Amino acid sequence: MKEQQANGITRRDLFRRAGAASAALGFFPVVTRFARAQAAPKANEVVIGKDPRLIVHNSKTGVMETPLDILREYEVTPKQFLYIRNNQVLEGGKTNEPIPLEGWPVEIVGMVLRPAHFDASVLKDLPQHEVKMVLQCSGNGRSFFAKYGAKAKGTQWGHGGMGQTVWKGPKLVDVLAHFKVEPHEAAQFLTVNGRDLPPKTGGRPDFEHSLPWSNDPETDWIGRDVMENAILAIEMNGEPIPAVHGGPVRLIVPGYYGTMNVKWVGQIRFEARESYNYNQVFRYRVPLYPVEPGQYDKKKQGFENSRPNWHQKVKAVVFAPLDGEQVKAGTVKFWGVAWNDGVQPIEQVLVSKDQGKTWVSAKITAPDSPYAWYKWEIYLPMSAGEHEVWVRAIDRWGRAQPLDGVVDWNPSGYEWNGADKIKVKVS
């Protein structure tokens, strides 16, 4: 189409002159920032095979979360919708495509009577164990610390740093038995390192985590759950694990936060103490005792005054209606999911539409795995106006979501599990 002219000046000339005037007046940086915001990469441009509707938090490492209106559509979260939290990136690993097991070396060393070095392809020949579980970033929900007045440092996750997944592979104890690896009786921790590379800048060390391991299962249930339940997974949701989700081999410990389910497993070490790795001591830990928001010196954090992000806390999330959604007056269905570390079952999901003055119990449907999410639903009469609905879960041990999640404030914003609170507009 030909350009329209006005007094000999084309529309293109007008736009050029407008741009020059904006720059002269100091508006050019604003336009540039707007253009950059508009050009922010979509999830499928950051990680091959991801749905473009995922929320990208960090394109460098591929950190992204799943919107709840997508997450609620699936019993098991498909790989194209599953959230990603990477501290480091495996070269060529930002893809939903798998990496072959063949040629992937794994070693089991440390306090063992006989170390083992093997090709990961042998794992598919051992007895396979399958587990359905909630995979959740320990920073999931971090933004709610800020929403209720105490911002914590880190990616400001909503509720979408989680998904329901199915993992398959041999149990770790079966791998040890196959290679005749016998941990020393003094070994109390399992330290796992992936084959991803440490950051090139900042001087940060390689990423690894330690988990409890016990040779006295009669008295140490924390160590026992790793010993009995850990698997070296080679499948996710019925197919080889996508590279971006830790394939070809990922340590899976159901009921533990995602950070402890170490990706790209290359080395397993049995040790007497937790790793002194930066990520084990100064990250992925919370204070042992309540602290005032902002009044905690993380530089003084150590093993003696903090604990690691191992077991997932009890939690319930509303899937519908979504926060801010408008519904019609009358009887409204509220539903969502609840879960914990799987050690004890969820026994109640309580719902309040008067900000905690009164509570009613929702109907719970238990899953076929103690580590999966429980579905809950309830029908409430709702009158016109704006209402705030609260939801909290309680398990058999009496572990419950606090009404004010800020009571568990910590500088890194880990393990948010405050009662879920949504506002609905009833017309």
Side-chain angles (χ1 to χ4, degrees):
M1 182 180 292
K2 293 183 179 179
E3 294 180 332
Q4 296 179 359
Q5 294 187 349
N7 297 324
I9 301 175
T10 66
R11 292 179 63 194
R12 183 176 297 173
D13 289 331
L14 288 172
F15 282 123
R16 284 200 191 106
R17 294 183 183 184
S22 296
L25 292 172
F27 295 145
F28 184 74
V30 176
V31 175
T32 302
R33 286 196 296 270
F34 177 76
R36 287 176 180 168
Q38 292 295 95
K42 293 185 178 297
N44 60 322
E45 297 171 331
V46 175
V47 174
I48 299 170
K50 284 297 180 181
D51 188 278
R53 292 172 291 173
L54 268 60
I55 303 164
V56 178
H57 289 297
N58 185 322
S59 59
K60 183 177 180 181
T61 56
V63 178
M64 55 188 70
E65 74 171 281
T66 313
L68 290 187
D69 60 341
I70 296 177
L71 191 62
R72 69 187 180 185
E73 293 296 316
Y74 302 93
E75 170 68 18
V76 173
T77 311
K79 64 182 179 181
Q80 66 267 33
F81 301 125
L82 185 61
Y83 85 98
I84 302 173
R85 173 61 174 113
N86 286 335
N87 282 279
Q88 299 169 183
V89 180
L90 183 74
E91 185 174 356
K94 291 168 72 173
T95 175
N96 260 347
E97 294 300 311
I99 297 172
L101 281 170
E102 291 74 13
W104 186 272
V106 180
E107 63 177 11
I108 304 175
V109 294
M111 298 177 67
V112 296
L113 302 183
R114 180 186 289 108
H117 304 265
F118 56 93
D119 186 271
S121 59
V122 75
L123 296 175
K124 62 186 177 183
D125 299 324
L126 299 178
Q128 302 293 295
H129 179 74
E130 187 173 86
V131 60
K132 180 190 290 186
M133 61 177 241
V134 176
L135 183 71
Q136 178 188 202
C137 175
S138 58
N140 191 34
R142 181 182 286 125
S143 65
F144 298 108
F145 282 110
K147 182 177 180 180
Y148 297 107
K151 186 176 182 179
K153 184 179 179 181
T155 299
Q156 296 300 299
W157 294 93
H159 277 315
M162 66 173 183
Q164 181 142 274
T165 50
V166 178
W167 302 89
K168 186 177 181 179
K171 285 193 171 186
L172 179 57
V173 289
D174 291 338
V175 177
L176 298 180
H178 177 79
F179 289 105
K180 296 180 172 56
V181 175
E182 296 181 37
H184 193 280
E185 61 180 13
Q188 296 295 313
F189 292 91
L190 186 75
T191 298
V192 186
N193 193 312
R195 295 188 63 206
D196 48 329
L197 298 175
K200 294 181 180 179
T201 59
R204 297 287 172 85
D206 198 6
F207 184 89
E208 65 180 30
H209 266 317
S210 294
L211 296 92
W213 180 268
S214 174
N215 283 301
D216 189 6
E218 294 297 323
T219 60
D220 186 1
W221 69 271
I222 295 179
R224 185 177 69 240
D225 62 14
V226 176
M227 178 182 289
E228 295 181 350
N229 300 320
I231 67 174
L232 292 183
I234 56 176
E235 289 186 13
M236 185 187 87
N237 298 349
E239 59 182 272
I241 303 173
V244 76
H245 289 296
V249 183
R250 182 170 182 174
L251 177 76
I252 291 295
V253 185
Y256 277 52
Y257 283 104
T259 187
M260 296 296 166
N261 292 261
V262 180
K263 299 178 178 180
W264 309 300
V265 173
Q267 184 188 74
I268 298 170
R269 302 193 312 271
F270 284 91
E271 300 180 312
R273 294 199 60 178
E274 290 181 61
S275 169
Y276 285 94
N277 183 276
Y278 175 84
N279 296 287
Q280 184 75 14
V281 180
F282 296 107
R283 300 183 69 210
Y284 297 106
R285 301 183 80 87
V286 295
L288 282 176
Y289 306 103
V291 298
E292 287 294 322
Q295 304 300 311
Y296 182 79
D297 187 354
K298 197 172 180 180
K299 294 180 181 178
K300 296 181 179 179
Q301 181 170 284
F303 295 127
E304 70 287 345
N305 62 0
S306 65
R307 62 168 180 78
N309 300 150
W310 285 338
H311 294 86
Q312 295 190 53
K313 287 185 173 181
V314 62
K315 198 169 186 177
V317 171
V318 181
F319 273 178
L322 294 174
D323 187 37
E325 193 170 345
Q326 185 165 322
V327 298
K328 291 183 179 180
T331 301
V332 178
K333 178 183 178 181
F334 290 81
W335 71 278
V337 295
W339 71 98
N340 62 359
D341 56 11
V343 175
Q344 293 292 329
I346 301 291
E347 289 203 326
Q348 280 187 304
V349 173
L350 301 176
V351 183
S352 173
K353 65 175 186 177
D354 54 15
Q355 299 187 15
K357 294 182 179 67
T358 61
W359 297 86
V360 289
S361 293
K363 176 185 175 183
I364 300 176
T365 301
D368 53 6
S369 164
Y371 307 104
W373 54 39
Y374 293 64
K375 292 182 179 178
W376 62 265
E377 65 177 41
I378 192 169
Y379 291 85
L380 297 176
M382 303 296 291
S383 58
E386 186 174 83
H387 300 267
E388 187 170 271
V389 177
W390 295 4
V391 179
R392 67 193 303 227
I394 304 172
D395 69 16
R396 183 171 292 174
W397 272 354
R399 296 178 297 182
Q401 293 174 262
L403 296 183
D404 179 8
V406 179
V407 298
D408 291 324
W409 185 91
N410 59 91
S412 297
Y414 296 133
E415 300 184 3
W416 169 269
N417 80 322
D420 202 15
K421 301 174 181 179
I422 65 164
K423 291 183 178 180
V424 292
K425 299 174 182 178
V426 183
S427 61

